[in-house]
Amino acid sequence: MATGRTHRPATRSRGIPEATVARLPLYLRALTTLSERSVPTVSSEELAAAAGVNSAKLRKDFSYLGSYGTRGVGYDVEYLVYQISRELGLTQDWPVVIVGIGNLGAALAGYGGFASRGFRVAALIDADPAMTGKPVAGIPVQHSDDLEKIIAEDGVSIGVIATPAGVAQAVCDRLVAAGVTSILNFAPTVLSVPDGVDVRKVDLSIELQILAFHEQRKAGEESGEEAAPQVAAPAAPPVATRTTAEGGRKGPDGDVPAVMPA
């Protein structure tokens, strides 16, 4: 079976836009649900509704895959599952290491969605010696001293960081130096990586803060509160100026440049 290090997804070489790539997993999730219900075909409108996008955008996205469906019939569900899985690189084995086996890391280790979508948790890694050898989700935790060796032996190209923010960059640097080229970051910090390394950030606290913003707005609307009316500030009296030879203006305090500095 091919490993993540021997093959890269074809999406970039085929010129598929990043926005389309970001929607492909949404389509795949909806299609997988249809497949599990033994639904043979689906219209663009039905699939778009299930994925939470509009049908015109869906048809445009699928055109990048060379899939246009059949008029009056729709899209073949099983074929689309295969086609999108292939484009996303999910028809092969992707070994993944998870670094930081606290509550979040342990939960990720036990997430069944990895294996069903082509991702194999090759190793769980933690810096705490007390965690070494402890099984989590049936996988023994290994010490961070062995990080580079583990990555080399398992051909890992995807790393998941679930450490505290203070050590996340150091962990990231070690992963990249060892050959990892894609990182999923759950640490609440921004990582700096060289060109050629992809980082996807998942910050649960930020998502909750955004939801809190919307909840506050909804609560205000339900209580009938309205925004305070804007009161225009009185206009400043005009200042006599004259144009200078350099294109600026002459004011009471001297020359004013034509473009004010920021």
Side-chain angles (χ1 to χ4, degrees):
M1 179 180 290
T3 65
R5 196 175 291 283
T6 59
H7 177 72
R8 302 291 290 173
T11 52
R12 291 179 181 175
S13 63
R14 290 170 58 116
I16 299 179
E18 286 295 328
T20 296
V21 174
R23 287 188 289 269
L24 291 182
L26 303 179
Y27 301 140
L28 182 59
R29 181 173 61 189
L31 287 162
T32 300
T33 299
L34 292 172
S35 176
E36 291 171 349
R37 289 164 42 198
S38 299
V39 176
T41 58
V42 62
S43 69
S44 59
E45 289 78 11
E46 292 170 332
L47 183 54
V53 303
N54 65 65
S55 57
K57 184 175 292 182
L58 178 143
R59 288 190 291 269
K60 180 67 172 178
D61 289 342
F62 284 0
S63 71
Y64 291 111
L65 308 180
S67 184
Y68 299 94
T70 303
R71 184 178 296 275
V73 177
Y75 295 92
D76 183 285
V77 170
E78 291 299 332
Y79 178 69
L80 266 185
V81 167
Y82 165 76
Q83 193 175 27
I84 294 176
S85 296
R86 182 190 62 193
E87 289 295 337
L88 290 174
L90 305 182
T91 55
Q92 58 193 352
D93 175 52
W94 292 100
V96 175
V97 295
I98 301 176
V99 185
I101 313 303
N103 292 334
L104 178 57
L108 293 171
Y111 174 55
F114 285 146
S116 64
R117 288 166 174 79
F119 301 97
R120 173 175 58 86
V121 179
L124 306 178
I125 301 172
D126 198 276
D128 184 358
M131 291 289 295
T132 303
K134 179 181 178 181
V136 175
I139 303 173
V141 176
Q142 302 182 63
H143 195 270
S144 58
D145 287 348
D146 299 323
L147 176 64
E148 289 78 9
K149 177 184 176 183
I150 293 167
I151 291 173
E153 289 180 347
D154 288 296
V156 174
S157 58
I158 300 177
V160 177
I161 296 178
T163 66
V167 298
Q169 184 62 57
V171 170
C172 174
D173 293 342
R174 289 184 63 187
L175 288 171
V176 171
V180 169
T181 52
S182 293
I183 294 173
L184 181 60
N185 177 34
F186 283 90
T189 187
V190 176
L191 299 176
S192 176
V193 297
D195 291 340
V197 176
D198 295 313
V199 176
R200 299 288 296 182
K201 179 172 175 56
V202 181
D203 194 320
L204 302 180
S205 64
I206 287 179
E207 299 303 324
L208 286 172
Q209 289 170 34
I210 293 172
L211 289 176
F213 168 83
H214 291 295
E215 283 300 311
Q216 179 176 258
R217 283 293 184 90
K218 286 184 285 187
E221 292 172 357
E222 291 172 358
S223 64
E225 293 179 1
E226 295 183 0
Q230 297 287 334
V231 178
V239 177
T241 63
R242 63 182 177 82
T243 304
T244 67
E246 290 76 17
R249 294 173 295 151
K250 177 69 71 175
D253 299 319
D255 291 343
V256 180
V259 179
M260 292 295 290

